[in-house]
Amino acid sequence: MTFIARLLSVSALLLTGVAAVSGPAAAVDYPLRQITVIVPFAPGGPTDTVARIISAQMAKSLGQKVAIENVVGAGGTLAASLASRAAADGYTLIAGHMGTHAAAVPLYPGLSYHPARDFEPVALLAGTPIVIVARKDFPPKNLEEFAAYVRANTERLNVAHAGVGSVSYVSCLVLHRGVPFGGMGPAMAALIAGEVDYMCDQIVNAVPHINSGKIKAYAIAMPTRSPSLPNVPTTAEAGLPGFQARAWIAMFAPKGTPPSLVALLNAAASRALDDRAVRDTLQALGAVIPAPEQRTPQALADLVASEIDRLTPLLWQAANATGGHDQPWK
């Protein structure tokens, strides 16, 4: 039975509530069954990739299967809304990110959840720098030409993104309006096929296709070049220092999940991030592994709060500058 089906079953919710873990025995008795990690986007995208890599390793230390369930819609906010209403027993988690747990707050005035109010932060999983990429035959030769070309051809160009509020949407908001997909996996497929012109993607999704020559990379929005893409300049090097975007992926549990379970899950996630095979895999994809002090629940809570504060004025400013394309409040 899928997560959504379980959520819609009143009897299942009642039984889960009765069986919810509580008290000192929680950490001892947990986990007794499969844990589900909800990914708010389609399979194959950066959030999905990172969640699968880390969840597989967490399963080994927890001694139970950790299954991924993809719930697509509304830029990831549909999944986050559903996850916020799940039983707080440690068996339902969500792999959220800068979009679902920060940018969504100013982008969706009627948002049915609040990242700080309705979730327990578990652990920061990865930093995922943003790369500006395009179909392989896109005319501009460098980032300065790219920026000028986009401005001159706004009405006929299409930028792909994973939905309003997603990392890809927020990152490219200042450049152009976009064509929404259910995730960056489908969006990347459309870019490779030449069905869209460009996008601002998380590096984890883009590296294999850049290195294979299937798409063209213009710049990466980080202070220094990525070891996984040594030939791709930073936005500052490429002549667009004002374009800065940072993205991250993290694990959250529904509000009210017992602290003992949050601590246990945090420890499992941190052990996964310290595993050599996991680190090598993530770093080969360009992901940034958070330092131990950045992985604590409190550090993640602080990050979410600071990101909401940082993104709110930027998104309003970008929306006004672009005429409010695709903005739900327009």
Side-chain angles (χ1 to χ4, degrees):
M1 181 181 289
T2 66
F3 168 74
I4 296 178
R6 291 197 306 272
L7 189 63
L8 295 176
S9 169
V10 175
S11 60
L13 281 175
L14 290 174
L15 288 173
T16 303
V18 171
V21 181
S22 62
V28 176
D29 297 336
Y30 173 88
L32 298 176
R33 54 184 171 86
Q34 174 182 292
I35 298 168
T36 296
V37 176
I38 300 169
V39 171
F41 301 100
T47 307
D48 181 75
T49 298
V50 170
R52 288 180 188 275
I53 292 170
I54 294 176
S55 293
Q57 188 63 33
M58 288 178 65
K60 295 179 181 179
S61 61
L62 291 170
Q64 286 287 349
K65 181 180 180 180
V66 181
I68 299 295
E69 183 160 345
N70 300 89
V71 180
V72 178
T77 61
L78 173 61
S81 179
L82 292 170
S84 72
R85 303 197 302 271
D89 57 5
Y91 289 100
T92 300
L93 309 172
I94 183 169
H97 62 24
M98 180 261 277
T100 59
H101 282 69
V105 174
L107 284 173
Y108 290 89
L111 197 64
S112 64
Y113 68 91
H114 192 284
R117 182 187 66 232
D118 298 317
F119 290 94
E120 301 289 353
V122 175
L124 180 65
L125 302 181
T128 52
I130 300 299
V131 188
I132 301 174
V133 294
R135 52 183 168 84
K136 63 181 179 181
D137 59 348
F138 202 51
K141 296 181 177 63
N142 55 51
L143 186 61
E144 287 185 291
E145 288 185 12
F146 171 91
Y149 188 83
V150 168
R151 285 194 296 269
N153 297 277
T154 297
E155 294 306 317
R156 66 184 188 89
L157 294 179
N158 289 319
V159 53
H161 61 75
V164 175
S166 65
V167 170
S168 52
Y169 175 86
V170 172
S171 300
C172 260
L173 180 62
V174 296
L175 296 176
H176 190 39
R177 62 184 176 184
V179 177
F181 291 81
M184 291 315 291
M188 178 59 76
L191 187 68
I192 292 171
E195 297 169 0
V196 293
D197 297 299
Y198 70 94
M199 64 185 182
C200 300
D201 199 7
Q202 295 176 73
I203 192 171
V204 172
N205 198 40
V207 166
H209 307 297
I210 293 171
N211 289 335
S212 68
K214 293 180 179 178
I215 60 175
K216 180 186 293 187
Y218 285 98
I220 184 168
M222 59 186 300
T224 59
R225 296 194 182 198
S226 170
S228 64
L229 294 173
N231 296 322
V232 176
T234 66
T235 49
E237 291 175 325
L240 199 63
F243 182 83
Q244 293 295 319
R246 63 174 186 249
W248 43 268
I249 298 168
M251 185 172 287
F252 299 86
K255 192 69 175 181
T257 301
S260 59
L261 300 192
V262 172
L264 192 152
L265 289 164
N266 173 269
S270 190
R271 282 195 297 271
L273 289 169
D274 287 333
D275 180 79
R276 176 48 55 189
V278 169
R279 294 178 71 88
D280 289 347
T281 301
L282 290 175
Q283 289 173 337
L285 293 172
V288 178
I289 308 295
E293 63 272 16
Q294 297 174 314
R295 305 174 198 168
T296 68
Q298 185 58 54
L300 179 54
D302 293 342
L303 174 64
V304 169
S306 66
E307 285 286 81
I308 292 172
D309 288 344
R310 178 180 74 90
L311 290 170
T312 296
L314 290 177
L315 291 177
W316 278 99
Q317 181 181 11
N320 291 332
T322 58
H325 289 306
D326 291 330
Q327 300 306 312
W329 58 81
K330 291 288 185 181

